[in-house]
Amino acid sequence: MTFLNYNQAELDRQYDQRVWAPDGAVAIRRYTEETDRVKKVLGEPKVFAYGPSPAETLDLYPTKAANAPIHVFIHGGAWRLLSKSDSGFAAEAFVNAGAHFIALDFALLPAVTLPEMVAQVRRAIGWIYRHAHEFGGDPARIHVSGHSSGGHLAGCVAVTDWTALDLPADTVKSTICASGMYDLLPVRLSARNEYVKLTLETEHALSPMRHLDKISGPVFVAYGSGESDEFKRQSRSFAAALGGCLAAAPVEYEGFNHYEVVLTLADPSARLGRTALDLMGL
């Protein structure tokens, strides 16, 4: 067996969500379509550079409230697809609730390595903390969510030692990890590693499951009933390991596949959207 009870072909299948949701392209189109709709309602977002490379920018959808909390969304796409241009679909719910919504951009594989991608996302959070007052945000109320590979990146954010970056230990107040991967061993053993190129060292460094002692705020974990068994196991194992850092019991959203789960972040009355606003006290 290559991993647990899976041979190589089975493991590769477990880490290819297209097998489990062959109509995933429909949901992905909705990310862009809903982002375009939100821009027509709220106006074009304000764009800021948070780092030295062209990819290190963010879209800010500001709320009218002063000193407002901030929700930062980290998109998925297997670490190599999508962008902030597909990631504003939930902004309206947060802006209307009195929170700033930020969609992050960062360089993707193979333009950068996964360690550099994680470093960029952490750099973005640091920039937001240091510059929050410039756009009417409260640096003491930064909350993060991420989906799929963005769920993994959100997990890396949650286990960041912010003091090593000259920031408060509790820089991030809460994290939502949706449909992510939190132990990269099976990823390294799967066909995905042909482009992710994990080593033993980077597998360990970038597996949130192995650095839970650094978590300072509550983490919420969710996934869809239509996801692969391995993605479900990853979420359940991560939630179990979080212990007292778990914001609530992990949730399996019935009837949602891998690509659809994140769209519920735009719903202020249910699922990810309601959870995110509750974690922000809104």
Side-chain angles (χ1 to χ4, degrees):
M1 293 294 102
T2 299
F3 179 75
L4 297 181
N5 294 320
Y6 300 114
N7 62 30
Q8 189 65 60
E10 291 166 343
L11 184 63
D12 293 346
R13 182 173 179 270
Q14 287 292 320
Y15 281 88
D16 185 354
Q17 286 295 341
R18 295 169 298 180
V19 173
W20 304 82
D23 59 347
V26 175
I28 293 172
R29 280 199 302 272
R30 284 187 62 195
Y31 304 166
T32 307
E33 292 167 354
E34 284 300 298
T35 298
D36 290 342
R37 182 194 65 79
V38 166
K39 288 178 179 179
K40 291 177 182 177
V41 174
L42 300 179
E44 288 293 324
K46 297 179 180 179
V47 180
F48 295 93
Y50 64 81
S53 71
E56 292 175 78
T57 63
L58 57 84
D59 281 356
L60 167 68
Y61 297 83
T63 191
K64 294 180 180 178
N67 201 38
I70 303 162
H71 187 89
V72 183
F73 175 68
I74 307 171
H75 71 78
W79 298 293
R80 59 179 178 173
L81 300 168
L82 302 180
S83 73
K84 65 180 183 180
S85 298
D86 313 295
S87 304
F89 52 85
E92 188 176 8
F94 288 87
V95 169
N96 289 345
H100 298 296
F101 184 89
I102 290 177
L104 285 190
D105 241 2
F106 40 89
L108 304 173
L109 303 178
V112 294
T113 63
L114 190 56
E116 174 54 25
M117 188 186 302
V118 171
Q120 288 186 6
V121 171
R122 287 170 169 162
R123 190 150 55 238
I125 301 300
W127 185 95
I128 292 165
Y129 179 87
R130 294 186 175 101
H131 294 266
H133 290 312
E134 296 175 17
F135 57 81
D138 183 354
R141 291 190 289 168
I142 296 174
H143 301 259
V144 173
S145 68
H147 169 250
S148 190
S149 58
H152 163 258
L153 295 172
C156 289
V157 166
V159 300
T160 300
D161 179 4
W162 296 109
T163 62
L165 301 175
D166 295 322
L167 293 166
D170 62 346
T171 292
V172 173
K173 293 303 187 289
S174 73
T175 309
I176 292 177
C177 295
S179 307
M181 294 156 282
Y182 313 106
D183 186 338
L184 296 185
L185 170 59
V187 178
R188 181 173 62 79
L189 297 176
S190 77
R192 278 198 176 204
N193 209 40
E194 293 175 9
Y195 69 87
V196 182
K197 300 187 184 306
L198 291 164
T199 64
L200 282 170
E201 181 181 11
T202 55
E203 171 205 315
H204 176 74
L206 304 181
S207 290
M209 279 275 289
R210 306 184 196 181
H211 307 283
L212 299 180
D213 58 308
K214 294 183 175 65
I215 291 181
S216 60
V219 178
F220 178 73
V221 180
Y223 55 96
S225 63
E227 307 211 30
S228 74
D229 294 335
E230 259 297 278
F231 269 66
K232 292 178 181 179
R233 184 196 65 79
Q234 285 260 6
S235 293
R236 291 166 181 159
S237 296
F238 186 47
L242 283 165
C245 294
L246 195 64
V251 176
E252 178 176 315
Y253 292 132
E254 185 64 35
F256 288 85
N257 67 36
H258 177 78
Y259 303 99
E260 296 167 335
V261 168
V262 69
L263 287 166
T264 71
L265 190 64
D267 185 351
S269 63
R271 300 186 176 91
L272 287 182
R274 184 65 260 162
T275 297
L277 293 176
D278 285 345
L279 287 169
M280 301 179 81
L282 298 174

